[in-house]
Amino acid sequence: MAKPLFLSLSLCLILLFHGCLARSRTAQYQSQNACQLNRLEAREPDHKRECEGGLLESWDPNHEQFQCAGVALLRLTIQPNGLHLPSYTNAPQLVHIIRGRGVLGTIFPGCAETFEESQRGLGGGGQPGSQRDQHQKLHHIREGDIIALPAGLAYWSYNDGDQPLVTVNLVHVSNSDNQLDLEPRRFYLAGNPHDEFPQSRIQQGQGRRSEERQRRREEEKEQQGLPNNIFSGFSVRYIQEAFNVDSETARRIQNQNDFRGSIIRVKDRLDLVRPPRSRQEQEHETRRQELRQAEREHSRRQSSRDNGMEETVCTMRLRENIGDPARADVFSPQAGRLRTVNGYNLPILNWLQLSAERGFLYSNAMYSPHYNINAHGIIYVIRGRARCQVVDDFGRSVFDGELRQGQALTVPQNFAIVKQAENEGFEWVSFKTNDRAKVSQLAGRISYIWALPEDVIANSYQISREQARRLKYNRQEASLFTTSHQSIRPAVTA
């Protein structure tokens, strides 16, 4: 009996593996098929939802540009003393802090609650039956931070500053960690939140019946105030038993008749257990992170493979600041700066298969024509304006226009792009769908043109040897260029 049972289990595992592989290939094919684009658009949010403590805006994930990249995009504005309720998503996220500061809490399953109240705060030993507050580690977040959040990881965020906390969230729905479908799904653990992507359930080809079901679902929710956090689907009795609480508390957990939305306003202030953040402590933390990074790089050079224990799950670093000018990877006093976060300087991104780049072009400066070798890019404009052109594999200009603050543009893998800032400058963040995204420059000191022999250039472009030499060496900068002319506008505007 043991041998047939073993063979049956083996067959089941093989079928499961092939089923997962088939789903992965299907998703990959759908994503690749969606990238047959003849025209790109600079898009602003399609949907807005007002909440008690802020604003939630989202781009339609069914738009072909986002389907091509396999992502969804969301912008949150959390007002001072606002709390974005605990939730998790079906796919990994990159959260970029555009403005403000706050606190972000993550809940790693099975990890200890390492932040706890002092015993002295409860009058020595505390009253009989009293319990000190304990919770998992908190992350202080500020402008310029990138936070990496794995699929299914519950988290919450709170604005403890005096100005709005604005974040842009990218959800990588085509990531292998998402085994549901290519729809962005957020599972709230509290409140009666709005649907963040109200049209995401209506996919092309599903037909009128599916559209009607979705429309009825939205109407019922608006008319009856149906709660849609996870606990609202369980019976009160099960919640009572699970938490060992009374029925009133169980009903409260379901947040019935709660119309505050997914961002609520906190009464008074959140009383959190957290260490102070003096300037000296911040500098010490920065030096400690730099030392850890140097140690990781040394270990990587010593061994060709990671041993998987460089960082434990419970203490892994989720955050890296890419907005600090002093930490730029590429800098030109005349043209601007670039900063990249990837699997090398934030190892958790190896798991999420994502990376990001933040750049700032000074007035009329240019970012060299280039393309992403192994990733799609989703550009979000933080401030300023730029002229931009994107070219596909047929040599067609699929985008020729202006990018301005608050807009998003998808640049498919291998499509070439060039950006030139307007007079006020241009600052952006580009999310990329590979943890070690590679960029190939088409002009400048580290470009393809510098790597070609002069004779190859002369014959390829039918120019003289002297012209080829000037074409190759006239631009000495690496990737950020100064220009002698103002931003070039297209001859015909749409």
Side-chain angles (χ1 to χ4, degrees), residues 64-234:
E64 59 184 0
Q65 292 180 194
F66 297 113
Q67 288 190 336
C68 165
V71 302
L73 201 62
L74 180 74
R75 183 168 64 203
L76 293 177
T77 301
I78 306 175
Q79 295 298 333
N81 213 32
L83 171 68
H84 184 216
L85 293 170
S87 66
Y88 59 90
T89 57
N90 61 325
Q93 287 187 85
L94 282 186
V95 179
H96 187 46
I97 310 302
I98 302 299
R99 182 156 57 100
R101 66 179 178 88
V103 177
L104 183 137
T106 53
I107 298 91
F108 278 94
C111 294
E113 290 73 36
T114 54
F115 281 33
E116 57 185 1
E117 285 182 336
S118 170
Q119 194 74 18
R120 290 178 299 177
L122 294 173
Q127 296 180 357
S130 64
Q131 178 72 41
R132 293 179 296 166
D133 188 22
Q134 296 177 316
H135 53 73
Q136 289 193 12
K137 180 180 178 180
L138 302 180
H139 306 271
H140 295 270
I141 55 177
R142 62 185 177 91
E143 180 177 337
D145 279 350
I146 279 275
I147 300 102
L149 299 172
L153 179 72
Y155 76 100
W156 54 270
S157 51
Y158 171 63
N159 184 352
D160 64 351
D162 55 5
Q163 63 174 322
L165 173 63
V166 183
T167 74
V168 173
N169 300 23
L170 178 120
V171 185
H172 190 201
V173 292
S174 64
N175 192 282
S176 59
D177 283 347
N178 174 27
Q179 298 187 24
L180 291 175
D181 49 35
L182 296 182
E183 297 178 7
R185 299 171 182 264
R186 185 180 295 275
F187 299 80
Y188 276 97
L189 296 166
N192 180 10
H194 299 299
D195 191 349
E196 294 180 356
F197 301 97
Q199 293 183 1
S200 66
R201 300 291 192 271
I202 306 175
Q203 300 291 343
Q204 294 181 354
Q206 284 186 333
R208 182 176 301 174
R209 183 176 300 176
S210 179
E211 293 183 14
E212 291 177 353
R213 276 200 305 268
Q214 173 67 8
R215 191 177 299 110
R216 284 199 302 269
R217 178 178 178 270
E218 291 296 321
E219 290 176 354
E220 289 176 357
K221 177 171 173 53
E222 290 181 4
Q223 293 174 3
Q224 302 177 23
L226 295 176
N228 63 356
N229 79 58
I230 289 294
F231 294 107
S232 67
F234 293 119

Side-chain angles (χ1 to χ4, degrees), residues 19-34 67-70 173-176 178-182:
C20 292
L21 186 61
R23 285 199 303 271
S24 175
R25 287 176 175 171
T26 300
Q28 184 181 17
Y29 172 78
Q30 290 173 344
S31 177
Q32 290 172 342
N33 192 50
Q67 288 190 336
C68 165
V173 292
S174 64
N175 192 282
S176 59
N178 174 27
Q179 298 187 24
L180 291 175
D181 49 35
L182 296 182

